[in-house]
Amino acid sequence: MNKENTNAVSFGAPPARVTRARAKAFGTSSAVPPSSKPLQDQKRVLRVKSKREAFDENIGSTVVTDSFQHKRRAVLKDITNSSCENSNVNIIGTTKVPNTRKDLSKKNAKVGADVSVNVLPVQEDAKTKLAEELSKIKVADMPVNSKEHVQASRSRQHGVVDKMLPVQAFKIHVRLRSNKNEGHSSASVVVLSCITEDMICEKSVVSKDEDVVDIDSNLKDPQACSLYAPDIYDNIRIAELERRPSIDYMEELQSDISPNMRAILIDWLVEVSQEYKLVPDTLYLTVNLIDRFLSHKHIEKQRLQLLGVTCMLIASKYEEICAPRAEEFCFITDNTYTRGEVLKMESEVLNFLHFHLSVPTTKTFLRRFIQAAQSSYEVPCLELEFLANYLAELTLVDYSFLKFLPSLIAASAVFLARWTLSQSDHPWNSTLEHHTRYKASELRNTVLALEDLLLNTIACPLKAIREKYRQQKFKCVANFTSTKPVGSVFQRSKQPIL
């Protein structure tokens, strides 16, 4: 037992708890007694040593980092100074590296002050030069081409104000000045654009006659499109020329049908529109589609009614909220045509017209022209509105009215309606001339032809439209007649337009 303990101590075994046997053995042997410090104290010493070494390593890395940041700040300082020199700003470079944020903020404030002091005089010089240039500009001396002068004179003759003329002159003037002064051309455009907008507004106000009533002044009604109505109707005037049917297709193309057969078909379609309570726009669009199709496609008389109901089906889908079905149009023809035939004809018509269904009709212009005519009344006259619509629908039946534009027919209907209701005043005024773009002399032939329709001089037996407007809901305007012929208005020489 003693021998084992002695060998354990001699081989440097870790010290253990002192027992009686070990104390006796230590006392008798010559071995060195173990250290008086316990194992926990030794571990504590090792832990402190490792912390101290780690602390020394951190100190070394911190020194390296500080030296790196020092070099980095020095490099940034040099770059900042060089960039300021390139921007023509006088800054005295310092070799001392700022150690605190306070020093950096002071330095940046100083740089900003120097930059502002140097830049402000440049801006003031630019403003003064721009003011001098603008003071020399005279808007009245803007060069305008001879072509623009001719266009302006034509527009004055027709009572039309072309608002694009000042804009064109403005663009030419700016282009000339930008070549001379390229330095401040952009600033000149900005200021001159404001001047030109004011000029356009002033011109639009001054160019109108004092007697012309602005029918687009009702900005509260969003459906009136008051801001865009003049431009919309300018585009519609162009569209009525592009989508116009042929005026002589009966003589040139159609050999199996006649104008009388066309009149019978349209008179029957008027009754169909009343049966299904369709809006007037559907009827006008139906007639337009029929005439446009017949202008380029030959058709037999057995299929003429099929073409009529198919065009009304297409117009109903375009104009109506709840359009009648194809079966209903088959039923209205006493099942003369099947649903398949109607759908096949619908596909043929749409493909031939390339789905161009947005066309201006007489009803499109009639709404605006009636609004212009109502401006001369203190209270809106319902008889005027119904009578003008009655005259316009009468022209749908007559094939000879294809030679007149829809806008011309609408203006003539308003003219004759005003004359029929009152012969004391001239039926045309400056407001109607301004908004319709027609003078009274330009309406003469159309108004005389309309008067013949109203009086039924040819004794036409087709009376669907006449019976429609004899109803009380239309104020029985079909019974109205004028005591004086309208031709007397045009026979007056130099009659002033009130």
Side-chain angles (χ1 to χ4, degrees):
M1 187 69 173
N2 296 334
K3 190 175 181 179
E4 292 176 359
N5 291 334
T6 305
N7 294 332
V9 174
S10 63
F11 283 105
R17 187 168 56 91
V18 180
T19 60
R20 293 179 181 179
R22 287 186 179 182
K24 185 177 180 181
F26 287 144
T28 57
S29 64
S30 59
V32 179
S35 175
S36 61
K37 293 182 179 180
L39 181 62
Q40 294 180 358
D41 294 341
Q42 293 180 3
K43 290 183 180 181
R44 188 177 299 172
V45 173
L46 293 174
R47 194 180 303 164
V48 172
K49 182 178 179 180
S50 61
K51 287 184 178 180
R52 186 173 298 172
E53 292 176 355
F55 180 73
D56 294 339
E57 292 178 359
N58 291 333
I59 291 175
S61 62
T62 305
V63 174
V64 175
T65 305
D66 289 341
S67 63
F68 175 74
Q69 291 182 355
H70 176 74
K71 293 180 181 180
R72 185 179 179 183
R73 289 178 183 176
V75 174
L76 290 176
K77 172 181 71 64
D78 297 336
I79 293 174
T80 308
N81 292 335
S82 64
S83 62
C84 292
E85 289 176 359
N86 294 331
S87 61
N88 296 326
V89 179
N90 296 324
I91 299 176
I92 300 174
T94 58
T95 56
K96 183 180 179 181
V97 180
N99 294 326
T100 60
R101 295 181 180 178
K102 186 175 181 181
D103 296 337
L104 286 173
S105 61
K106 289 181 179 180
K107 182 176 179 180
N108 294 333
K110 183 178 180 180
V111 173
D114 294 338
V115 173
S116 61
V117 169
N118 292 329
V119 172
L120 283 176
V122 177
Q123 294 178 353
E124 292 179 358
D125 294 339
K127 289 181 180 179
T128 53
K129 290 181 180 179
L130 182 59
E132 291 176 359
E133 290 182 0
L134 293 177
S135 62
K136 297 177 182 179
I137 296 173
K138 294 181 180 179
V139 181
D141 296 335
M142 287 185 178
V144 183
N145 295 337
S146 59
K147 182 179 179 181
E148 294 174 353
H149 281 295
V150 173
Q151 188 176 0
S153 61
R154 290 179 181 175
S155 62
R156 294 190 192 97
Q157 292 176 0
H158 296 283
V160 181
V161 180
D162 192 356
K163 298 182 180 180
M164 291 303 295
L165 289 179
V167 178
Q168 294 173 357
F170 161 71
K171 290 180 179 178
I172 296 171
H173 187 65
V174 170
R175 194 182 302 114
L176 293 175
R177 290 192 57 83
S178 61
N179 294 331
K180 296 178 181 179
N181 303 322
E182 297 178 354
H184 304 287
S185 59
S186 60
S188 302
V189 169
V190 173
V191 178
L192 284 176
S193 61
C194 301
I195 298 174
T196 310
E197 290 178 358
D198 297 336
M199 288 173 54
I200 294 173
C201 295
E202 291 177 0
K203 183 175 180 180
S204 62
V205 174
V206 174
S207 60
K208 285 186 178 180
D209 193 0
E210 294 180 356
D211 297 333
V212 175
V213 179
D214 185 11
I215 63 176
D216 299 317
S217 59
N218 185 15
L219 301 177
K220 297 181 180 180
D221 186 7
Q223 294 182 352
C225 300
S226 301
L227 294 175
Y228 315 105
D231 297 330
I232 291 173
Y233 277 91
D234 287 342
N235 293 329
I236 290 177
R237 294 294 291 268
I238 298 174
E240 72 172 338
L241 298 174
E242 296 176 351
R243 308 283 168 81
R244 186 182 181 185
S246 176
I247 62 175
D248 56 353
Y249 65 82
M250 286 290 182
E251 298 80 9
E252 297 294 332
L253 182 62
Q254 303 300 331
S255 59
D256 202 20
I257 60 176
S258 63
N260 188 31
M261 297 175 63
R262 173 189 177 275
I264 294 173
L265 173 65
I266 295 175
D267 187 77
W268 175 73
L269 290 176
V270 172
E271 296 180 352
V272 174
S273 65
Q274 286 185 279
E275 180 69 22
Y276 291 115
K277 297 180 180 180
L278 304 179
V279 296
D281 300 82
T282 303
L283 178 63
Y284 281 92
L285 182 58
T286 300
V287 177
N288 180 271
L289 296 178
I290 292 173
D291 290 329
R292 287 166 60 195
F293 186 84
L294 294 177
S295 297
H296 303 281
K297 294 282 290 186
H298 181 271
I299 196 171
E300 298 81 10
K301 60 182 179 181
Q302 293 83 5
R303 302 177 70 237
L304 182 61
Q305 190 180 14
L306 175 62
L307 175 64
V309 295
T310 303
C311 290
M312 181 160 279
L313 174 63
I314 297 172
S316 300
K317 291 180 179 180
Y318 186 82
E319 297 287 354
E320 300 291 335
I321 298 176
C322 297
R325 297 176 300 172
E327 292 82 2
E328 297 183 61
F329 286 105
C330 295
F331 174 77
I332 206 69
T333 60
D334 197 13
N335 294 321
T336 304
Y337 309 101
T338 62
R339 181 177 181 273
E341 292 176 331
V342 173
L343 296 180
K344 183 179 179 181
M345 177 61 75
E346 179 185 13
S347 176
E348 183 180 354
V349 172
L350 288 175
N351 289 319
F352 176 76
L353 299 177
H354 302 287
F355 290 82
H356 290 161
L357 305 180
S358 299
V359 292
T361 61
T362 304
K363 184 64 176 178
T364 307
F365 295 99
L366 197 59
R367 286 192 179 93
R368 184 167 180 82
F369 296 168
I370 289 176
Q371 184 182 3
Q374 295 282 16
S375 62
S376 59
Y377 297 96
E378 295 181 358
V379 179
C381 182
L382 292 178
E383 289 80 2
L384 172 65
E385 181 179 355
F386 294 146
L387 185 56
N389 280 281
Y390 168 56
L391 294 172
E393 285 192 25
L394 285 176
T395 62
L396 296 177
V397 181
D398 199 333
Y399 168 76
S400 62
F401 273 84
L402 287 178
K403 61 185 177 182
F404 301 114
L405 290 174
S407 59
L408 186 61
I409 295 175
S412 302
V414 174
F415 187 102
L416 185 57
R418 285 173 60 89
W419 174 254
T420 304
L421 294 176
S422 176
Q423 290 86 30
S424 59
D425 297 330
H426 196 282
W428 213 240
N429 53 31
S430 57
T431 301
L432 284 167
E433 181 177 340
H434 175 77
H435 292 290
T436 62
R437 312 286 178 86
Y438 290 110
K439 295 181 179 180
S441 59
E442 299 173 348
L443 304 176
R444 183 178 183 276
N445 296 332
T446 314
V447 170
L448 293 178
L450 265 177
E451 187 182 31
D452 293 340
L453 277 181
L454 179 63
L455 300 176
N456 195 14
T457 55
I458 60 175
C460 180
L462 304 174
K463 299 182 179 180
I465 297 176
R466 300 181 187 276
E467 294 295 332
K468 173 183 176 181
Y469 282 92
R470 283 196 179 101
Q471 301 178 25
Q472 187 62 35
K473 64 179 181 179
F474 295 112
K475 302 292 182 181
C476 304
V477 294
N479 299 327
F480 291 0
T481 55
S482 60
T483 57
K484 297 180 182 180
V486 72
S488 60
V489 179
F490 302 103
Q491 292 176 0
R492 301 174 187 175
S493 59
K494 296 181 181 181
Q495 175 67 24
I497 297 178
L498 301 177

